[in-house]
Amino acid sequence: MRVKCEACGHKAIINSRNEIDPKVIDLYCTCTNPQCGHYFVAKLTFSHSISPSRYQARLATVDFLRSLPPLEQQELFKQVHQTG
């Protein structure tokens, strides 16, 4: 990941990080331009998914199957084994 200094536009180094929340992280950065020397905090945030995680889809499927009555679960499994 690259961070640019907002003061001069040069590359900055991430010195440390502080996780505020699983989706928000403070990045403590220092500009690599010796004439600038800017020390600053940038925020890294999760915005949104473009494609859902296969892991999450699998968990949602298992939760859905568990919510069905046992006979409906058996019927679905029979259909899966017949087509797959």
Side-chain angles (χ1 to χ4, degrees), residues 36-71:
C36 180
H38 191 203
Y39 182 64
F40 60 96
V41 178
K43 286 218 183 287
L44 174 65
T45 63
F46 174 82
S47 175
H48 60 280
S49 296
I50 295 171
S51 176
S53 163
R54 288 183 188 99
Y55 180 72
Q56 290 171 331
R58 184 177 297 218
L59 289 177
T61 302
V62 169
D63 287 342
F64 168 73
L65 289 172
R66 286 185 178 148
S67 73
L68 295 175
L71 290 176

Side-chain angles (χ1 to χ4, degrees), residues 5-22:
C5 174
E6 66 90 22
C8 73
H10 279 76
K11 185 174 89 169
I13 295 172
I14 300 169
N15 300 311
S16 63
R17 51 184 266 152
N18 181 29
E19 188 172 304
I20 307 297
D21 174 273

